[in-house]
Amino acid sequence: MRTFEGYRRANGSIGVRNHIIVINTVGELAGLTNKLAGLVPGVIPVVHQAGQSQYSEDSEQTIKTLEGTAGHANVSAALFLGMGSKDPAEGIVETLKKNGHHVHSIIFDKDKSITECLKDGKSWLENAMKRSKEEKTEKADISELIIGLECGGSDAWSGITANPSIGALSDLIVEDGGTSILAETTEAVGAEHILANRAVNQEVSNRFLEIVKRYEQRAKAVGEDIKAANPSPGNKTGGLTTLEEKSLGCIKKGGNSTLMEVIDYAHKPREKGFIFMDTPGYDVESVVGLVAGGAQIVLFSTGKGSPTGSPIAPVIKIGTNPKLYENMPEHIDVNAGKIIDQNYTIEQIGEEIYTKILQVANGESTASEKYKNHEFSIWRLAETQ
Amino acid sequence: MGQKVNAIKLDEKDNVAVALETLKVGETLSIKDGIEEITVLKKIAYGHKVAISSIPNDGKVIKYGECMGIATMDIAIGDHVHVLNVRGLTEEDKSFQKEVY
């Protein structure tokens, strides 16, 4: 049985990291969030630009994402910075406290000086840091892991080397009782029937077809036709012939397992096994959704070397070609390019990724962690008010 | 790691392989865990597909173990499989596929 050492939280979940974060509810506080994090060594700033002037669906999505991030198993404690009387920070903190999370909020308002707010924040974070150092790890089974599956900066090799290898890994994790979540609805357009046919029942199948259709319609509403635009002339030069082939290259990150559930952006899966989350193709927003939904580790294939990381989850970079590994060795955690020039098989790289996941779950830093790639952005559905 | 391979078959069921390097006309295909000897009929750029079984006109092109397109003419073993001899799926093809899988 494959196991790892993790941090058990009050709500029962298990983390592979023990981060202290400071997170803003409104974009106006981005600068002060960075400043406050800088006052206590080791504290991570989780900074985004969304504000209070959002349509309700975006406002709900922002709150859901912030809740999922601050209440994540990889987070020991979270401090929210909010602003004004309508700020959602206090509400989020109240919800998270009910589930046993160590959280607090500081609201910037006319009644208190900024210096005072920063002083309060610093002192809370210092205590949280002290407390986190006393937290011990315990042995946990692989079935408690949720792995996010993502790609970004794809190239002609993504669908041939890295993505099928991630698919092989996904099948192994699912076999061992764990969960993997595939994302990027836009990338499934054209091959949606293939994933829909793999669904556990008609309801899940329909739900999947529905989110793909909704995505296509949203794109059409702003004058984009995903089906007509793909595969692009560049894709064709690279060897891709049809839209089905292009989408298969992406969705094969989910291997061949049965699709158990389709979830909304930043929502937590209720089922175990292979899951699909409705996210955009933009890698930063997609990773943020996967992590807010509970993924403790993210697998990320890249052909061009996208540096996207996460403030709270280790992102394991899988390089698709030997050239990338040669030029950016410090940035790639697993070199799937070995399939091209060293005779490795997809299954062998799948096993290598599994080994890497266990090492990372046990505390080994990924390249994106070493470089502190803390990208954070929330998927917006509408315009700003 | 044994003999150098120049193409990869992504799934057992596939009737195409993907070239891992640019293949010249007359070159022999070498795929890991080997299949019978195939001679490349056209130049195949790396990342492009080569037929490893003959695919009849209207037959399915299988990659990743899934149908990724329909042949628009007979495709011989060793031939280049691309936009000139393959089309994408129509809604009808897709519903047909549902019965198969």
Side-chain angles (χ1 to χ4, degrees), chain A residues 9-271:
Chain A
R9 305 300 174 195
N11 68 348
S13 63
I14 191 118
V16 299
R17 293 292 181 268
N18 209 29
H19 291 313
I20 309 293
I21 64 171
V22 49
I23 184 166
N24 60 327
T25 52
V26 293
E28 289 89 336
L29 290 168
L32 286 173
T33 304
N34 277 319
K35 184 172 175 65
L36 182 51
L39 298 177
V40 184
V43 169
I44 296 176
V46 179
V47 178
H48 66 96
Q49 306 298 335
Q52 284 172 10
S53 309
Q54 304 181 66
Y55 289 121
S56 59
E57 56 175 351
D58 274 336
S59 177
E60 280 161 29
Q61 187 134 297
T62 300
I63 290 172
K64 186 83 196 163
T65 308
L66 296 181
E67 248 175 40
T69 305
H72 194 278
N74 289 354
V75 174
S76 169
L79 175 63
F80 275 92
L81 297 190
M83 190 179 75
S85 57
K86 284 184 188 156
D87 197 275
E90 284 172 334
I92 298 173
V93 163
E94 205 175 301
T95 309
L96 290 174
K97 272 189 175 163
K98 274 186 205 148
N99 291 318
H101 296 287
H102 190 50
V103 284
H104 184 61
S105 65
I106 288 179
I107 306 295
F108 287 74
D109 213 343
K110 60 182 183 303
D111 298 334
K112 218 173 179 188
S113 76
I114 284 186
T115 314
E116 238 177 304
C117 287
L118 289 177
K119 202 176 140 212
D120 287 354
K122 182 172 180 256
S123 128
W124 192 86
L125 289 170
E126 280 167 347
N127 282 329
M129 189 56 87
K130 213 178 288 166
R131 187 177 167 276
S132 77
K133 296 230 161 83
E134 286 156 15
E135 288 172 321
K136 300 267 182 294
T137 59
E138 64 174 60
K139 200 181 277 302
D141 187 76
I142 209 77
S143 61
E144 294 202 66
L145 273 188
I146 302 177
I147 307 292
L149 313 175
E150 180 67 31
C151 53
S154 297
D155 70 350
W157 295 113
S158 301
I160 299 162
T161 60
N163 291 356
S165 301
I166 290 177
L169 173 278
S170 173
D171 287 342
L172 291 174
I173 287 276
V174 168
E175 255 169 58
D176 286 350
T179 299
S180 68
I181 312 180
L182 182 64
E184 300 172 292
T185 312
T186 170
E187 310 287 338
V189 173
E192 64 269 25
H193 61 289
I194 291 165
L195 264 188
N197 287 342
R198 258 168 57 195
V200 66
N201 57 38
Q202 198 61 44
E203 192 191 335
V204 172
S205 174
N206 290 346
R207 176 90 183 99
F208 181 69
L209 292 173
E210 190 186 298
I211 63 160
V212 173
K213 198 168 173 195
R214 187 173 66 186
Y215 206 106
E216 258 191 289
Q217 280 166 349
R218 275 185 196 275
K220 272 194 184 136
V222 293
E224 302 282 346
D225 188 338
I226 299 173
K227 274 187 183 143
N230 283 293
S232 66
N235 291 154
K236 286 179 186 166
T237 309
L240 291 177
T241 307
T242 63
L243 177 57
E244 292 75 25
E245 182 185 13
K246 181 178 179 174
S247 298
L248 272 167
C250 177
I251 65 176
K252 275 291 163 177
K253 290 199 296 295
N256 295 308
S257 308
T258 303
L259 178 63
M260 299 303 292
E261 190 184 6
V262 175
I263 53 179
D264 286 328
Y265 184 81
H267 282 241
K268 289 184 173 54
R270 283 178 299 264
E271 302 290 333

Side-chain angles (χ1 to χ4, degrees), chain A residues 157 159-160 164 190 193-194 197 227 236-242 244-245 248-249 252 339-343 345-346 348, chain B residues 1-5 8 10 18-20 32 46-49 63-64 66 68 81-83 86-89 94 97-98:
Chain A
W157 295 113
I160 299 162
H193 61 289
I194 291 165
N197 287 342
K227 274 187 183 143
K236 286 179 186 166
T237 309
L240 291 177
T241 307
T242 63
E244 292 75 25
E245 182 185 13
L248 272 167
K252 275 291 163 177
I339 290 171
I340 301 169
D341 65 350
Q342 293 175 49
N343 263 7
T345 63
I346 286 166
Q348 283 169 327
Chain B
M1 300 293 299
Q3 195 205 345
K4 176 88 179 79
V5 300
I8 186 170
L10 293 165
V18 179
L20 293 176
K32 186 146 185 123
Y46 71 87
H48 284 235
K49 295 172 290 301
K63 184 183 174 189
Y64 301 107
E66 309 278 1
M68 54 142 278
V81 179
H82 203 22
V83 287
V86 180
R87 64 164 172 85
L89 303 182
K94 288 180 186 176
Q97 216 183 349
K98 267 184 191 162

Side-chain angles (χ1 to χ4, degrees), chain B:
Chain B
M1 300 293 299
Q3 195 205 345
K4 176 88 179 79
V5 300
N6 57 18
I8 186 170
K9 187 178 166 184
L10 293 165
D11 190 277
E12 276 304 298
K13 297 190 276 290
D14 290 1
N15 54 16
V16 295
V18 179
L20 293 176
E21 59 191 47
T22 297
L23 307 172
K24 296 184 213 64
V25 176
E27 203 172 326
T28 303
L29 214 55
S30 165
I31 297 177
K32 186 146 185 123
D33 302 326
I35 45 174
E36 66 276 29
E37 231 171 61
I38 289 174
T39 306
V40 177
L41 300 179
K42 295 221 178 77
K43 181 187 161 189
I44 314 277
Y46 71 87
H48 284 235
K49 295 172 290 301
V50 54
I52 53 174
S53 328
S54 60
I55 309 169
N57 187 15
D58 276 338
K60 288 179 182 175
V61 178
I62 310 286
K63 184 183 174 189
Y64 301 107
E66 309 278 1
C67 176
M68 54 142 278
I70 304 289
T72 54
M73 58 183 83
D74 291 341
I75 304 175
I77 295 180
D79 202 352
H80 187 202
V81 179
H82 203 22
V83 287
L84 288 176
N85 51 17
V86 180
R87 64 164 172 85
L89 303 182
T90 62
E91 288 309 311
E92 275 174 337
D93 295 325
K94 288 180 186 176
S95 50
F96 168 68
Q97 216 183 349
K98 267 184 191 162
E99 291 162 30
V100 178
Y101 288 90

